[in-house]
C-alpha cells in the first residue's frame, strides 16, 4: 500500500516537514469517503466501553464551554446547543476499516501511534483555538471543515482562564486558511496553533502520533532500577568528621546526590537495561482494559477459512512491536515480552508491521502458531464476505 504524501517523498517529508511545518495534501485519502457517517459516530459514542467527549459552546458566549465525558445515554446527544462537537477516541480499535488506514502511515513506526480520534460537528462546531503536544494528520472524512493555522506555542503561551479546555485567546498571525474536502489531509506538527470549524455536518479523523515525555521515561527507568538488587544496598557513608546530632550537612546531601546519579548512570549506560525499562512503556496498548478476548479455533477450521479467502491481521486494539537483537527479533505485546519461535519470526514480523495476511502468506508450519495467537487475542481472523 502506498503512502499518502502525494508528490512529496518520504525523505523530503521527514527532513523538511516532520515536527517543523505543516503540509496540506489534497485528495490524499479518497478511500475514506463513505467509510463512516455522523450517525455511525453518534452510535459508537453510546457504547459502554468507548471513550468519548461532548464539547458544547454557550450560545450566548462562544468563549464559554462545557464538557461532558462518556459513558453517554441517547438523551445526552439530543437537544444540544447549535455549536458542539462530539469526539470519539480510538475509533481504530472498533473499526477494522479505520484501523487498516494506518498502513498508509507506515513511514512512521507503530510505537509512535496513539489512536484515530474522529470528531463530529454540525455547521459552526469546533474544539476551539488550541495547540497539541503531538503530531497529527487531520483527514477530512465527511463534509467540509475550514482550518486556520497560526503561531507556535509553548508552556508560557497564555490560555483562556477558567475553561475546561486548554484554549487560546487568539492564534497570532494566521498564515494558513483553507477548507478541506473529503480525502484531504492536513499535517500539523506539535505546538502549532490550529482552529478547525465545520462548514457543514462533518467528520474529521485525527491520526495522532505521540512521543513519551521525559517524566514518563524517568518513571519507568526508576521503577526498573529500584527492582534491581544493586539498588537495595545502602549507599556508602563517606564520613570524615563529626556533625552536630541534628544536622544534615551540605556535604552529606551532596554525597547522596552523587551516589544516586552514579547508580542511575549505570542503568542508563547499559542499553539492555534501558531497553528492559522502557519497552513496556513503548509497547503498551492505549486501551489495555478493553482488549477483545481471543477464541479457540481448530486447525481444520483455520485452514478452511484461509482457503475461503479469509485474512489474518494484528488485533487493532493491541500493540505488537519488536526489537532487533543480533540476528534475532524480540517481540513485545501490550507491555510484555513474548516468546516467538524463530521459525515464525518472519510471519510475526509481518503481523507487527501491519500487513494483512492471506492464504499464500501462511505456511503449513505456521498454523499452530497462528492458532495460539488467535486464542490469545493477538490476531484476528477476517472471514471472507
Amino acid at each position: 500500500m502506498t503512502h499518502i504524501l502525494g508528490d512529496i517523498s518520504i525523505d523530503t517529508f521527514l527532513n523538511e516537514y516532520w515536527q517543523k511545518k505543516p503540509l496540506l495534501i489534497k485528495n490524499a485519502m479518497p478511500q475514506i469517503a463513505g467509510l463512516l457517517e455522523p450517525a455511525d459516530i453518534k452510535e459508537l459514542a453510546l457504547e459502554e466501553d468507548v471513550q468519548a467527549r461532548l464539547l458544547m459552546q454557550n450560545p450566548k458566549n462562544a468563549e464559554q464551554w462545557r464538557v461532558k465525558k462518556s459513558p453517554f445515554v441517547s438523551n445526552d446527544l439530543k437537544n444540544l446547543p447549535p455549536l458542539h462537537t462530539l469526539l470519539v477516541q480510538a475509533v481504530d480499535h472498533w473499526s477494522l476499516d479505520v484501523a487498516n488506514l494506518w498502513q498508509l502511515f507506515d513511514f512512521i513506526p507503530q510505537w509512535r501511534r496513539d489512536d484515530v480520534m474522529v470528531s463530529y460537528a454540525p455547521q459552526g462546531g469546533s474544539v476551539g483555538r488550541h495547540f497539541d503536544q503531538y503530531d497529527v494528520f487531520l483527514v477530512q472524512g465527511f463534509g467540509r471543515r475550514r482550518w486556520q493555522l497560526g503561531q507556535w506555542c509553548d508552556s508560557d503561551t497564555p490560555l483562556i482562564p477558567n475553561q475546561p479546555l486548554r484554549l487560546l485567546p487568539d492564534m497570532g498571525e494566521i498564515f494558513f486558511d483553507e477548507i478541506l474536502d473529503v480525502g484531504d489531509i492536513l499535517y500539523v506538527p506539535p505546538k502549532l496553533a490550529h482552529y478547525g470549524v465545520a462548514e457543514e455536518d462533518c467528520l474529521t479523523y485525527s491520526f495522532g502520533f505521540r512521543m513519551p515525555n521525559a517524566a514518563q521515561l524517568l518513571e519507568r527507568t526508576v521503577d526498573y532500577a529500584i527492582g534491581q538488587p544493586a539498588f537495595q544496598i545502602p549507599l556508602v557513608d563517606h564520613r570524615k568528621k563529626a556533625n552536630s546530632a541534628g544536622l544534615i550537612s551540605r556535604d552529606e546531601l551532596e554525597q547522596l546526590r552523587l551516589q544516586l546519579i552514579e547508580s542511575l548512570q549505570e542503568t542508563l549506560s547499559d542499553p539492555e537495561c534501558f531497553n528492559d525499562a522502557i519497552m513496556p512503556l513503548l509497547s503498551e496498548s492505549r486501551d489495555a482494559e478493553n482488549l477483545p478476548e481471543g477464541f479457540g479455533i481448530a486447525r481444520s477450521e483455520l485452514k478452511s477459512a484461509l482457503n475461503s479467502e479469509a485474512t489474518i491481521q494484528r488485533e487493532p486494539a493491541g500493540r505488537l512491536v519488536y526489537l532487533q537483537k543480533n540476528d534475532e527479533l524480540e517481540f513485545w505485546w501490550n507491555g510484555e515480552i513474548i516468546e516467538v519461535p524463530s521459525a515464525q519470526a518472519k510471519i510475526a514480523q509481518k503481523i507487527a508491521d501491519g500487513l494483512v495476511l492471506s492464504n499464500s502468506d501462511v505456511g503449513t508450519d505456521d498454523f499452530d502458531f497462528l492458532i495460539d495467537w488467535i486464542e490469545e487475542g493477538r490476531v484476528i481472523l477476517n472471514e471472507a464476505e
Side-chain angles (χ1 to χ4, degrees):
M1 189 176 289
T2 57
H3 63 72
I4 41 75
L5 299 175
D7 296 333
I8 294 178
S9 70
I10 292 174
D11 287 343
T12 297
F13 175 76
L14 295 177
N15 290 324
E16 299 182 15
Y17 292 89
W18 183 246
Q19 299 202 320
K20 297 182 181 73
K21 59 183 180 181
L23 176 65
L24 173 63
I25 317 158
K26 299 294 291 184
N27 199 33
M29 196 183 288
Q31 62 269 53
I32 206 168
L35 199 60
L36 295 173
E37 296 187 356
D40 298 319
I41 291 302
K42 294 176 183 178
E43 182 179 347
L44 183 58
L46 297 176
E47 294 289 336
E48 181 179 357
D49 294 326
V50 169
Q51 297 178 23
R53 290 172 293 159
L54 184 60
L55 282 52
M56 297 166 281
Q57 290 177 272
N58 187 330
K60 297 181 179 180
N61 182 356
E63 296 300 322
Q64 296 292 318
W65 295 74
R66 288 188 298 126
V67 177
K68 182 175 177 60
K69 297 181 179 181
S70 57
F72 294 135
V73 296
S74 57
N75 283 340
D76 291 323
L77 305 183
K78 296 178 180 178
N79 302 317
L80 297 172
L83 302 182
H84 66 271
T85 293
L86 177 63
L87 304 173
V88 180
Q89 300 289 158
V91 175
D92 51 322
H93 293 184
W94 303 93
S95 167
L96 272 181
D97 290 332
V98 174
N100 288 338
L101 293 175
W102 277 119
Q103 294 179 53
L104 296 168
F105 299 90
D106 63 4
F107 51 92
I108 307 297
Q110 184 198 148
W111 69 269
R112 285 291 320 275
R113 297 175 188 173
D114 187 28
D115 73 336
V116 182
M117 180 183 73
V118 178
S119 64
Y120 160 75
Q123 183 179 12
S126 79
V127 298
R129 302 172 182 86
H130 69 286
F131 68 96
D132 300 312
Q133 297 288 355
Y134 52 88
D135 302 90
V136 63
F137 291 84
L138 302 165
V139 186
Q140 195 60 28
F142 183 94
R144 299 181 303 155
R145 189 185 289 268
R146 178 185 179 186
W147 285 100
Q148 294 179 318
L149 306 179
Q151 66 189 3
W152 292 95
C153 305
D154 56 31
S155 58
D156 295 324
T157 301
L159 303 174
I160 298 176
N162 304 318
Q163 292 301 309
L165 302 168
R166 292 173 52 81
L167 301 177
L168 300 166
D170 63 74
M171 298 201 304
E173 182 179 355
I174 302 298
F175 69 90
F176 177 97
D177 192 335
E178 297 279 353
I179 294 177
L180 269 63
D181 296 304
V182 174
D184 293 348
I185 296 180
L186 176 62
Y187 165 68
V188 181
K191 302 180 183 179
L192 182 62
H194 50 287
Y195 182 38
V197 181
E199 293 283 300
E200 56 199 0
D201 271 23
C202 79
L203 297 179
T204 301
Y205 295 63
S206 299
F207 289 77
F209 292 84
R210 292 184 183 269
M211 275 289 283
N213 57 43
Q216 292 172 308
L217 295 180
L218 182 60
E219 178 184 25
R220 295 304 180 103
T221 302
V222 170
D223 286 347
Y224 173 83
I226 61 179
Q228 305 305 304
F231 277 77
Q232 310 301 322
I233 300 173
L235 299 177
V236 177
D237 184 356
H238 298 288
R239 185 167 306 281
K240 296 182 179 179
K241 61 180 180 179
N243 285 349
S244 299
L247 175 66
I248 301 176
S249 70
R250 292 281 185 177
D251 287 343
E252 289 171 322
L253 289 174
E254 182 64 6
Q255 288 176 21
L256 294 175
R257 185 182 73 86
L258 293 176
Q259 289 188 72
L260 176 60
I261 290 174
E262 182 180 358
S263 297
L264 286 175
Q265 281 180 334
E266 290 179 3
T267 299
L268 292 173
S269 63
D270 184 340
E272 294 305 316
C273 289
F274 181 76
N275 293 348
D276 291 342
I278 300 304
M279 280 302 297
L281 171 66
L282 301 186
S283 62
E284 281 179 351
S285 169
R286 188 188 190 284
D287 195 16
E289 295 181 357
N290 293 316
L291 289 175
E293 295 183 0
F295 63 92
I297 185 171
R299 185 184 181 92
S300 58
E301 292 175 316
L302 177 58
K303 184 176 182 179
S304 176
L306 290 173
N307 286 334
S308 300
E309 299 185 349
T311 57
I312 290 175
Q313 67 184 92
R314 177 180 56 84
E315 162 56 53
R319 180 158 292 172
L320 176 66
V321 295
Y322 56 89
L323 288 175
Q324 182 79 48
K325 283 197 169 184
N326 299 318
D327 295 330
E328 297 183 350
L329 299 179
E330 178 182 278
F331 288 85
W332 290 74
W333 166 256
N334 292 340
E336 297 182 351
I337 191 170
I338 57 174
E339 294 292 332
V340 174
S342 57
Q344 276 68 52
K346 287 187 177 180
I347 196 169
Q349 182 180 15
K350 291 179 179 179
I351 294 169
D353 287 339
L355 300 184
V356 178
L357 307 182
S358 62
N359 190 37
S360 60
D361 300 307
V362 179
T364 304
D365 294 339
D366 298 325
F367 273 77
D368 291 340
F369 172 73
L370 291 174
I371 287 170
D372 288 343
W373 274 28
I374 291 171
E375 292 178 348
E376 293 289 337
R378 295 170 186 164
V379 297
I380 55 177
L381 179 67
N382 304 312
E383 300 281 357
E385 296 182 0

